[in-house]
Amino acid sequence: MPDGVVMLVNEFPPLPVGGAERQAERLSAWLAARGWTVSVLTRGAGGVPSREERDGFSVWRIRPRGPRKLGTLTFVLGSLWTLIRQRKNYNILHAHLAFGPAFAAVAAARLLGKRVIVKLGNSGEFGDIRVSQKTLRGRVRLSALRGWADAVIALDEAMHAEALAAGFDPRQLRRMNNGVDFESFSPTRSKAEARSKLKLDGKIIILFVGRLSEQKSLPTLLAAFALARKDCPALHLLLLGDGPSRPALESQAGALGISGSVTFAGSQHDVRAYLEAADVFALPSVSEGISNALLEAMSAGLACVATPVGGNAEVLDSG
């Protein structure tokens, strides 16, 4: 059997994704470049092919059928069937986040005698453990992960502590940080050139990159920005990403009278142009793991301000 691995993740580019999904993409390309047979198993959606080859690895997309819980069930069953049919092409399953794909991974590994890794994504209120503990199916899923996963990766000490409190065997747990290729985020042009390209000449730019969701606490950032702008009118806020909170955030910006100083740039696959233009990176989340966006901003030399949740304090160890 070749050195084969299947990455399982709920969403995958070109769909809008977060840090866990981008890590899955980077890891897949890295392993493929080193001779591994790599496939990604993810959810299908309209407008994207059910099968494609990219960066040396395969992507298989399983289209959920039905709303919400039914959609999750059909995705898990479809994933199991795909893993059974492809069983000769891999020996390791690597699930990103402890949700539906992770259950499919541990069930398939148990059935087929494969090894399985589950990587947790967040700690705190919106973290994998606490979200799963709120529902019966989540608690069943955690029980399966405790019993059948060979290794569970915790990205920070808070995540590790939550996993231990949830009953995971200490021998299962591995502490492992996310990483980025920092050289690829090193600026290649001046701030003035980068700002001119974005038509933000003369501005002092504060940048946020991430999903526009409750977890990121962006109303706090908008309120703080409105106060700061009174003393520094040259400030401009760039919000990169999309998500369910966007309409409410746009309304809040209007109510605060700062719409002209806030740009909602939407999802961007390549953020380097924005990192080159920015001065400050802000991450006001109430729950995190090891933020890829924070690592990328640090690599680009930005001043970074983050809430002390998840791995933020470990990453910003200079205070």
Side-chain angles (χ1 to χ4, degrees), residues 240-314:
L240 267 63
D242 223 326
S245 297
R246 180 166 178 167
L249 293 169
E250 291 175 332
S251 295
Q252 182 187 1
L256 291 169
I258 56 173
S259 293
S261 298
V262 179
T263 298
F264 289 84
S267 296
Q268 302 290 330
H269 185 68
D270 189 348
V271 301
R272 284 173 291 188
Y274 298 91
L275 290 170
E276 288 180 332
D279 298 283
V280 177
F281 177 80
L283 187 64
S285 308
V286 296
S287 177
E288 277 294 343
I290 298 288
S291 168
N292 292 283
L294 177 57
L295 297 178
E296 292 166 4
M298 293 171 67
S299 299
L302 274 60
C304 297
V305 180
T307 45
V309 298
N312 290 352
E314 295 176 30

Side-chain angles (χ1 to χ4, degrees), residues 80 83-87 90 93 107-114:
L80 275 171
L83 291 172
I84 291 170
R85 288 191 295 112
Q86 297 290 336
R87 61 187 179 277
Y90 65 90
L93 296 166
R110 182 76 169 181
L111 181 65
L112 301 171
K114 307 291 185 179

Side-chain angles (χ1 to χ4, degrees), residues 36-112:
W36 283 69
T37 300
V38 182
S39 301
V40 175
L41 183 57
T42 186
R43 286 178 183 254
V48 292
S50 59
R51 178 75 182 265
E52 69 172 320
E53 302 293 324
R54 53 184 296 172
D55 298 325
F57 60 88
S58 303
V59 181
W60 308 327
R61 293 188 175 91
I62 308 299
R63 189 78 178 265
R65 304 294 178 183
R68 299 184 63 119
K69 293 180 182 179
L70 180 59
T72 298
L73 177 61
T74 57
F75 170 68
V76 169
L77 293 175
S79 298
L80 275 171
W81 177 237
T82 300
L83 291 172
I84 291 170
R85 288 191 295 112
Q86 297 290 336
R87 61 187 179 277
K88 294 182 179 179
N89 297 320
Y90 65 90
N91 42 24
I92 298 172
L93 296 166
H94 185 157
H96 296 259
L97 307 180
F99 300 115
F103 183 81
V106 295
R110 182 76 169 181
L111 181 65
L112 301 171

